[in-house]
Amino acid sequence: MTTTTTEEPQIVLARPRPVVLAAVAVGVVPFALHAWMALTGYFGHDDFVILHRAAAHGPFDLDYLFQDYSGHLAPGMFLLAWFVTAVAPLSHVFAVLPLLVVQAVASVLFWRVLTRCFGSRWALLPAFAVYAFSPLVLYPTLWWAYGVQLFPLLLTVFGAINAHLTYLRTRAPKQVVPTLLWIVAGMAFYEKAALVVAVLFGLTLLLGERVPRWVWFAHGGVVAGFAVLFVALTTSRVKNDLPSADFIAEFTGNAVLNTFLPGLFGGPWTAPSAGATISTSPLWLRLAVAAVAVAVLVVALVGAPRRAGLAWLMLAGYLAVDLGLVIVTRLPEIGPLIGNDPRYIADAVPIAVLCATFAFLDPGERTGGLGRSAALGLVAVLGISATFSFLWLAPGLQFTRSAQYVSTARAALAANPSMALYDTQVPDAVMSVWLVEDGKASRVVGLLPQRPKFDQPAEEMFLLDDDGSPHRITGVGDPVIGRKGPVADCGWPVGGQVVTIPLSSRVEGRRLLRVEYYTSSAGPVRLGLGTSVQEVNFAEGLHVLYVVVNGGSDRLEVNRRTEVDPMCVVDVRIGSPRT
C-alpha cells in the first residue's frame, strides 16, 4: 500500500525593499522628535482664544464654524477645536494627538507621491528627507493653532495629488471626484488649499500628460465656490496702500534668503526669535546656502533644460503667491521682519521638494540619480543639520510660560474652587497684546475643571498676577467716589424706588465697583451705570460687595425692586482693582 502526502502551499511574504525601510526610518526619526517636543509643550496665544470659543458653541453652530477668524475661514479647525474641548478641555496632549496622526499620514502620502511619479529608488530619499526633517515645517507646527492648519493642508494636498495621479493612470471620470473632495477638505482648514489646483496643473505638465478641459473647469468651480463663500463671510485683510518697494524687497529677502533657503538645507542653525520667527543666520552661512541653491538650479537646467525650467517656474510661481499674500495683508502692519516667520512659507517646502525632484529625475524611471551610498550620506548630513536646528528652535514655541501660568492657577483654584476672579490681561508671553480683549485670564484658565468664576459679583474677589497666582483685592485705586448720602449713619436709603447716587466724576469703560451696604432683608438689587445694568444679590447684615461694571456715566442707579425693608448704601467707589 502506497501512502501519499500532500504538502500545503506555503505563503511567502515579500520583504519590504531596502529603500522602503530606509524611507520609513527617514520619516519616523523626525516625526518622533517633533512628537516629543509637541507633547511636552503647551498652548499659547491664539490657542486659548480658539478653545474658549469652542467651549461656548456646538458642532452644528454654523456661525461658530464659519466665523471670520482674523481673516481666515476654517470650519474644519473649529470643528476639531470643539471636539478636543468637549472631550478634554485644556489637555494639550489630547489636542496634539490628532495632529500627529495627520502628520504621519501626510508623510506616508508624500512618499507615495514621489514613488508614483519616479518609482521607488534611492535617489528619492534625500528629497523625502528635506520634507520630513524640515525645521520650517516641524518648528511652527509646535504651535497648535498653526499645526491645525498646516498638517491638514499638507495631508489634503498630498491626497489630492495621489488622487489626480490615479485619474491620470485610469482616465476614469469618477476618479476626479476624490481629488475634488481632497481639495474641499483642505480648504476647510486652510484657504491655501485652493493653490493645489495650480500644483496639479503644473504636475500634469511635468508628467507630459494632457487633461480634458472639463477636469480643470470642475477644479476651478470648486475653488470659485469657496472664494465666493470666503469673500462673503470674512472681512478683507488686503490693505488699501501697498508697502514701499524697499519694504517689499527687504521682506522678500528675509523670507527667501534668511528663512526658506536655509530651511531647505537644514537651517537656520539659530535660536528662536520673538513670536514664531527665527533669528537670522550669519551672513557667510546665508551666502553659502544661496551659492548651493544657485548651483542646484543651474545643474538641473543644464541636465534637463525644458523639464527643469518648468519645475523651477512652478516653484517660483508658488512662492510668489505665498509671499504676495503676505505683502498685501500682513506686511503693512507688521513690517519686513515677518519674513523670518516660517508659517508663511512652510507650505512651499513639499512643493520645492517635488519641483526639485522633477528637475533632476525623469518621471516614471526606476533607476538613475544617486546611488544608495550617496543618498544615505546626504540624508545623514541633512538629518543631523535639520535636527540640530529644530532642537535649538523648539523651545521658542513650547510655551513653558503658559504651562506654568495655567498650572499655578489650577492649583490655586483646586484649593479654593469658589474663588471669584477679576478678569485681567495676561503676560505677553502667554497671550500676545495683539489679541486685545481676548488676551484675558478668562480665556487662558476659564476651561479648567473648576470652571472659575470671572467678573461675577462677590464679597471677596481675587485677580491673577503674571505667574497665575491669585491675590485678594482689598479696594479700588484712583477711585471715582459716590457723594455722601443725605441720611446720617445710613448714607443712601433704598426702598422700592430707584435711588440715584451722583459720582465725583464720570466713569468710562470697564471698572470695579466697591459697594458698602447693610440691610435687614436679603434680596436682589439692580445696579445701573449708564446703559450697563446688572442684577446682584445683597445679603443680610453689613457687607462690602465688588461688582465689575462696564459703562459710561456720572451717576449710579440703585433699585431695590422688592417690597422689603429699606437698605442703606453707605459707600460707593469705582476704580481699578487694588491688591
Side-chain angles (χ1 to χ4, degrees):
M1 184 176 181
T2 303
T3 303
T4 60
T5 59
T6 303
E7 294 184 0
E8 296 183 359
Q10 295 182 347
I11 300 176
V12 179
L13 298 177
R15 292 183 178 180
R17 297 181 60 191
V19 66
V20 175
L21 295 176
V24 171
V26 169
V28 167
V29 171
F31 172 81
L33 288 173
H34 180 265
W36 172 40
M37 287 297 182
L39 292 171
T40 55
Y42 201 64
F43 298 117
H45 305 295
D46 292 78
D47 297 346
F48 294 115
V49 180
I50 293 169
L51 298 176
H52 174 79
R53 296 185 184 182
H57 297 88
F60 305 109
D61 186 340
L62 296 183
D63 288 337
Y64 161 69
L65 294 177
F66 289 89
Q67 65 181 284
D68 177 3
Y69 188 80
S70 191
H72 296 291
L73 189 66
M77 177 184 73
F78 284 107
L79 183 61
L80 180 59
W82 170 85
F83 172 73
V84 300
T85 302
V87 176
L90 281 188
S91 171
H92 185 257
V93 170
F94 186 77
V96 164
L97 290 177
L99 301 189
L100 295 179
V101 172
V102 173
Q103 178 189 6
V105 177
S107 293
V108 173
L109 288 182
F110 188 55
W111 175 253
R112 177 69 172 154
V113 167
L114 293 174
T115 55
R116 291 184 72 180
C117 290
F118 303 99
S120 182
R121 45 178 158 167
W122 289 102
L124 294 180
L125 277 184
F128 183 55
V130 170
Y131 164 74
F133 279 97
S134 176
L136 300 183
V137 173
L138 300 182
Y139 171 56
T141 50
L142 292 177
W143 188 350
W144 186 84
Y146 181 67
V148 80
Q149 286 185 304
L150 184 65
F151 282 139
L153 170 68
L154 297 179
L155 173 67
T156 54
V157 168
F158 304 152
I161 294 175
N162 271 291
H164 187 66
L165 291 175
T166 300
Y167 167 74
L168 293 179
R169 177 175 57 83
T170 65
R171 295 294 173 165
K174 65 180 182 180
Q175 294 298 335
V176 175
V177 176
T179 309
L180 298 177
L181 293 177
W182 278 113
I183 296 172
V184 171
M187 291 187 297
F189 285 88
Y190 201 178
E191 58 270 10
K192 279 190 178 182
L195 297 179
V196 73
V197 176
V199 173
L200 296 179
F201 183 79
L203 182 68
T204 304
L205 294 179
L206 288 169
L207 290 171
E209 300 281 354
R210 298 179 69 87
V211 170
R213 290 182 180 180
W214 71 264
V215 173
W216 301 123
F217 284 143
H219 288 69
V222 168
V223 173
F226 173 78
V228 171
L229 188 67
F230 184 87
V231 171
L233 297 180
T234 63
T235 301
S236 175
R237 296 296 298 268
V238 177
K239 303 300 184 289
N240 294 327
D241 297 323
L242 288 178
S244 66
D246 290 343
F247 252 45
I248 294 175
E250 185 180 351
F251 159 71
T252 304
N254 289 339
V256 176
L257 300 177
N258 296 355
T259 306
F260 188 66
L261 290 181
L264 291 179
F265 292 95
W269 312 286
T270 60
S273 190
T277 58
I278 54 181
S279 301
T280 303
S281 303
L283 178 61
W284 69 268
L285 200 52
R286 284 178 282 144
L287 292 175
V289 168
V292 172
V294 170
V296 169
L297 181 75
V298 172
V299 169
L301 287 173
V302 171
R306 187 172 181 276
R307 191 180 66 247
L310 181 58
W312 297 137
L313 184 62
M314 176 178 164
L315 175 58
Y318 193 96
L319 273 175
V321 174
D322 259 2
L323 300 181
L325 291 173
V326 180
I327 289 171
V328 300
T329 57
R330 305 280 183 173
L331 181 58
E333 62 186 30
I334 298 179
L337 284 179
I338 196 175
N340 291 344
D341 192 331
R343 289 178 298 162
Y344 299 102
I345 52 172
D347 58 295
V349 170
I351 307 303
V353 171
L354 197 58
C355 290
T357 310
F358 269 104
F360 281 94
L361 299 179
D362 290 325
E365 295 186 4
R366 294 185 175 275
T367 58
L370 298 172
R372 178 170 62 179
S373 298
L376 292 177
L378 281 177
V379 168
V381 172
L382 178 68
I384 293 172
S385 172
T387 299
F388 171 76
S389 290
F390 173 64
L391 294 179
W392 197 356
L393 289 169
L397 286 179
Q398 285 193 297
F399 300 120
T400 55
R401 182 74 182 277
S402 296
Q404 294 167 356
Y405 184 95
V406 174
S407 177
T408 301
R410 185 195 300 266
L413 288 164
N416 183 7
S418 63
M419 184 186 306
L421 296 170
Y422 180 82
D423 206 3
T424 53
Q425 294 288 139
V426 297
D428 188 51
V430 178
M431 292 186 80
S432 171
V433 293
W434 286 64
L435 294 171
V436 195
E437 288 303 313
D438 272 320
K440 297 284 187 69
S442 58
R443 272 53 166 178
V444 178
V445 301
L447 299 183
L448 286 174
Q450 296 82 11
R451 287 295 190 268
K453 300 181 289 294
F454 281 95
D455 289 355
Q456 295 185 16
E459 294 189 12
E460 191 174 51
M461 187 174 284
F462 298 80
L463 57 77
L464 300 179
D465 64 13
D466 286 351
D467 296 322
S469 298
H471 294 270
R472 182 173 175 271
I473 294 174
T474 58
V476 293
D478 301 320
V480 172
I481 301 173
R483 295 188 179 174
K484 187 176 180 181
V487 179
D489 299 328
C490 177
W492 296 92
V494 182
Q497 76 289 351
V498 177
V499 173
T500 300
I501 302 176
L503 303 175
S504 59
S505 63
R506 185 176 178 83
V507 173
E508 295 286 354
R510 181 172 175 271
R511 307 290 289 275
L512 184 62
L513 164 66
R514 180 187 182 277
V515 179
E516 185 177 342
Y517 71 91
Y518 66 86
T519 179
S520 60
S521 302
V525 175
R526 175 171 290 181
L527 301 176
L529 186 69
T531 58
S532 175
V533 179
Q534 59 180 304
E535 189 171 280
V536 299
N537 284 311
F538 277 17
E540 182 178 340
L542 176 62
H543 297 274
V544 172
L545 184 69
Y546 289 99
V547 182
V548 177
V549 294
N550 194 350
S553 182
D554 59 359
R555 62 196 62 202
L556 177 70
E557 294 183 346
V558 185
N559 186 0
R560 182 62 163 161
R561 302 191 63 217
T562 53
E563 296 298 330
V564 296
D565 293 340
M567 68 177 189
C568 293
V569 176
V570 180
D571 186 70
V572 169
R573 295 172 184 267
I574 305 176
S576 49
R578 185 180 62 199
T579 58

